[in-house]
Amino acid sequence: MPNDRLSTSPTAPRPRRRVPTITWLGIVGTAFLALAGLASTGVWGMLVMVALVVLSTMLYGVAFRRSTWLRIPRKRASAAIGAGIALVALIGSTSAYGATHAMPQSPAHLAAATAPSATAHAKPKASPRPTPTAIATPTPTPVVTTETVTETSRIPFGATTVESATLAQGTTTVTTPGVRGVDTKTYVVTYTDGVETDRVLQSDQVTTPPVNQVTTVGTYVAPVAPAAPTCTNGSYVNSAGATVCRPEAASSAPAGATAKCGDGTYSFSQSRRGTCSSHGGVAVWL
């Protein structure tokens, strides 16, 4: 009988499947892009980069029915499922990234947002801003000082006039020169921060009185010398040295006669002693 026993010879080992080089290249490239996304925008950026690589690889496999570095079967159904999963992952990671990172607005959007609307008639009410609390600044203490100040001023002198009978009329002379006096005033001056703010008079006295000027005016008028008498009977010089007319006969007393003698002549004697001594004595004194 034939031997129905199965052969117990050992099974030949399966050969190890080698990973294609393109798969390693895809893994390394995906890892590099993921690290770049992680370094620039964080975890969500890394997931976006991985999702983009996987999605583009799946779309390539669906379109050309070729095996990719992801080793997905060539069936379109498998590649489409992988592409859908990658698309969902891309949308989710992009939404999460946008929620956590505000996108900067372009200058055009900023200008449009800040430009006033042509149809707007009312300005929007500005929200009240908190009023800053004023910080009290310490007021500096003023520096107050006092000082005694003495000031002098001149006092004008007066003028008087006196008459003198010994000074010729029409002649004037200053007999006492005028001198101005001195008035002294004392003040207490108050300064605040170096600026004069008050002045109080403490004393006011005449320290040097003025001297009035005296002017003398002459009033003397010299007497007019009498004219020499006109003597018809001659003249003589009396004891006083004056020239006197000799007694003369006249029908009436001539000018300058002082007595009428006994013989009817008139005498011009200026002294009673010896008058009309040679003419019969004095009959009448004129």
Side-chain angles (χ1 to χ4, degrees):
M1 290 180 64
N3 190 4
D4 294 332
R5 297 175 60 184
L6 297 175
S7 174
T8 59
S9 61
T11 307
R14 296 181 179 180
R16 295 181 60 184
R17 300 178 63 180
R18 296 180 60 185
V19 178
T21 302
I22 189 173
T23 300
W24 286 112
L25 292 176
I27 293 173
V28 171
T30 303
F32 178 77
L33 294 176
L35 290 175
L38 178 64
S40 61
T41 56
V43 177
W44 296 113
M46 178 186 70
L47 293 178
V48 168
M49 297 303 293
V50 172
L52 284 174
V53 172
V54 172
L55 178 60
S56 60
T57 303
M58 290 300 178
L59 292 177
Y60 175 81
V62 170
F64 297 98
R65 291 186 180 183
R66 293 184 180 181
S67 177
T68 62
W69 62 271
L70 289 176
R71 311 302 295 170
I72 299 299
R74 296 182 180 179
K75 296 181 179 180
R76 285 190 172 180
S78 300
I81 293 173
I85 295 174
L87 180 61
V88 172
L90 177 62
I91 295 173
S93 59
T94 303
S95 301
Y97 176 79
T100 56
H101 296 77
M103 298 297 290
Q105 296 182 351
S106 63
H109 287 84
L110 289 176
T114 56
S117 176
T119 58
H121 297 285
K123 295 183 179 180
K125 294 183 179 180
S127 59
R129 296 183 178 180
T131 304
T133 303
I135 300 176
T137 303
T139 303
T141 303
V143 179
V144 180
T145 57
T146 58
E147 180 185 6
T148 302
V149 178
T150 302
E151 296 181 354
T152 59
S153 59
R154 292 291 186 178
I155 304 174
F157 58 83
T160 59
T161 303
V162 296
E163 294 180 349
S164 174
T166 60
L167 192 64
Q169 185 179 16
T171 304
T172 60
T173 181
V174 177
T175 53
T176 303
V179 179
R180 292 188 298 174
V182 177
D183 180 70
T184 303
K185 295 180 181 179
T186 303
Y187 298 91
V188 174
V189 182
T190 303
Y191 298 93
T192 302
D193 292 336
V195 179
E196 180 179 337
T197 56
D198 191 21
R199 177 179 289 242
V200 179
L201 179 64
Q202 292 294 311
S203 64
D204 184 1
Q205 57 182 346
V206 177
T207 53
T208 303
V211 177
N212 290 339
Q213 179 173 288
V214 179
T215 303
T216 302
V217 179
T219 60
Y220 172 74
V221 179
V224 179
T230 303
C231 301
T232 60
N233 194 28
S235 63
Y236 67 93
V237 178
N238 63 7
S239 59
T243 301
V244 181
C245 292
R246 292 180 182 278
E248 61 181 39
S251 59
S252 61
T258 59
K260 185 177 181 180
C261 297
D263 62 357
T265 60
Y266 289 92
S267 174
F268 295 92
S269 176
Q270 296 180 2
S271 174
R272 291 197 175 198
R273 185 177 180 178
T275 302
C276 296
S277 60
S278 301
H279 294 277
V282 176
V284 177
W285 291 101
L286 300 176

